Amino acid sequence: QLWALRIFLIFHPKVGKTSLIMSLVSEEFPDVVPYRVEEITIPADVTPEKVPTHIVDYSGTEQPHRECRWFLLVPANVICIVYAVNSKTSIEKVTSHWIPLITENTDKDSRVPLILVGNKSDLVEHSSMETILPIMNQHSEIETCVECSARNLKNISELFYYAQKAVLHPTGPLYCPEKKD
Ligand code: GTP
Ligand code: MG
């Protein structure tokens, strides 16, 4: 294996990051989840793009984990910013906290593609897209957005497919050299 792709899931507590990962792996919604699951590896042959893929969970609750922000130090190929579609506060934190945090800590010349993931779509009637689209338009590093539900397994495999695709076939310019030679 020459290389593997590393997907990070980050956000404040309780939006369902761990549930999403466990729903993908077990194909059923877990009633009880730990704060965080250890890094898991999906073998190449079961991924749509045939690339071995590591999925890394971040817990907004687990103390040492929350404090150390290790995810800024370990190279990620793509970061999924997970919010909850039923929580306005969580949508606000996408732009007030997480995007600035990532931007400040990543090299301007090698932007990590971001995916906005609205989880818990089973709890709402209306989509959050109206709020999300202007955010996408303001931040070119956001590759795509997806609404999903760990509970009824909606768009879970799609989410991880989009994450792979964002790395392998990015649509936006992720590498923007300041000057041309
Ligand atoms: P931290 O590890 O604390 O940062 O939280 P987390 O983002 O990993 O959230 P977690 O997976 O622990 O889920 C938080 C709560 O939301 C749990 O009670 C889950 O059962 C619930 N939950 C997760 N996904 C969904 C979903 O798609 N729909 C609904 N209705 N509830 C969900
Ligand atoms: Mg968790």
Side-chain angles (χ1 to χ4, degrees), residues 11-19 29 33 35 58-61 119-120 122-123 149-151:
F11 213 73
H12 280 71
K14 302 301 158 223
V15 292
K17 300 174 291 296
T18 308
S19 304
F29 181 68
V33 292
Y35 287 141
Y58 165 81
S59 177
T61 303
N119 187 37
K120 308 198 186 184
D122 57 290
L123 294 180
S149 165
R151 181 174 288 276

Side-chain angles (χ1 to χ4, degrees), residues 4-47:
L5 189 150
R6 186 171 266 121
I7 302 174
F8 280 23
L9 273 75
I10 58 167
F11 213 73
H12 280 71
K14 302 301 158 223
V15 292
K17 300 174 291 296
T18 308
S19 304
L20 282 171
I21 297 173
M22 291 184 67
S23 287
L24 174 80
V25 174
S26 61
E27 290 176 358
E28 61 184 2
F29 181 68
D31 287 327
V32 184
V33 292
Y35 287 141
R36 190 171 64 89
V37 285
E38 289 304 320
E39 177 165 328
I40 61 154
T41 302
I42 314 273
D45 55 335
V46 294
T47 72

Side-chain angles (χ1 to χ4, degrees), residues 6-10 56 70-72 74-76 78-81:
R6 186 171 266 121
I7 302 174
F8 280 23
L9 273 75
I10 58 167
V56 183
W70 51 269
F71 61 86
L72 295 171
V74 183
V78 51
I79 299 178
C80 299
I81 301 179

